[in-house]
Amino acid sequence: ANIAKVGAGFAGFGTGLIGGLLVAANQAGDAAEVFTRFDAVFKGAADGVRKFTTETAESLGRTESEIASAATSFGAFFIGLGRTEKESGELSKTLTSLSLDFASFNNVTDADAQSRFLSALSGSSEVFDKYGINIKAAALDQEFLRQGLDKNTATASETEKVFARLAIITRSLGKQGAIGDAAKTSES
């Protein structure tokens, strides 16, 4: 009877070990897919963005593939707006940092914050309402005036609207004290 219990224990251990190895293998495959997409989006600018993802992951206690996935999504968004790989790389670093700060400051997941940023930049103004960030049409019109542009939401290009939204979001997060929050809270 004792031998049967020991054998059952080893069987359970083996099943757990194999399950753990399968999870690890799937995670490694997912990370490889992230970096394949990363290289495809950033092309010649990939090295600079990769340095950012490595340093950010280390300093904030995240995995490099998590940071790279966020940067890639933001980079792809800006490539879709016609920005170069280099411009998209710089913008993706900015947006990745802002979204991590937003997540930390508002106690939401990194993935939720990144999704909110992509939605907001695309024109979905309500995703930031409960966080006190107004990117509705009137706020965009005010931002165009602040920037000295003779534009409004009816006459501005989609790219101009995206950058006006980004300016409003960045300024709002700065006023709230959210910028730099991910680094502050990772140290505590």
Side-chain angles (χ1 to χ4, degrees), residues 26-141:
N26 284 337
Q27 288 173 342
D30 291 347
E33 288 177 17
V34 165
F35 287 106
T36 297
R37 183 171 174 246
F38 179 95
D39 290 337
V41 167
F42 294 116
K43 296 179 178 58
D47 288 344
V49 182
R50 189 175 310 267
K51 181 178 182 215
F52 163 82
T53 63
T54 301
E55 291 171 355
T56 302
E58 288 174 6
S59 70
L60 299 182
R62 307 297 202 286
T63 67
E64 190 174 349
S65 66
E66 288 172 323
I67 303 300
S69 179
T72 303
S73 293
F74 291 126
F77 176 83
F78 286 107
I79 292 286
L81 284 176
R83 312 321 296 177
T84 67
E85 287 87 6
K86 184 175 180 179
E87 290 171 319
S88 295
E90 292 303 313
L91 288 162
S92 74
K93 291 190 281 189
T94 298
L95 268 292
T96 299
S97 294
L98 285 173
S99 70
L100 291 167
D101 287 337
F102 175 86
S104 174
F105 188 75
N106 290 291
N107 199 29
V108 299
T109 66
D110 294 347
D112 179 43
Q114 292 153 14
S115 177
R116 286 180 185 279
F117 270 75
L118 287 169
S119 294
L121 292 174
S122 298
S124 181
S125 62
E126 69 278 354
V127 297
F128 279 139
D129 282 350
K130 77 179 197 175
Y131 300 101
I133 301 172
N134 177 5
I135 57 170
K136 292 180 174 57
L140 288 181
D141 290 342

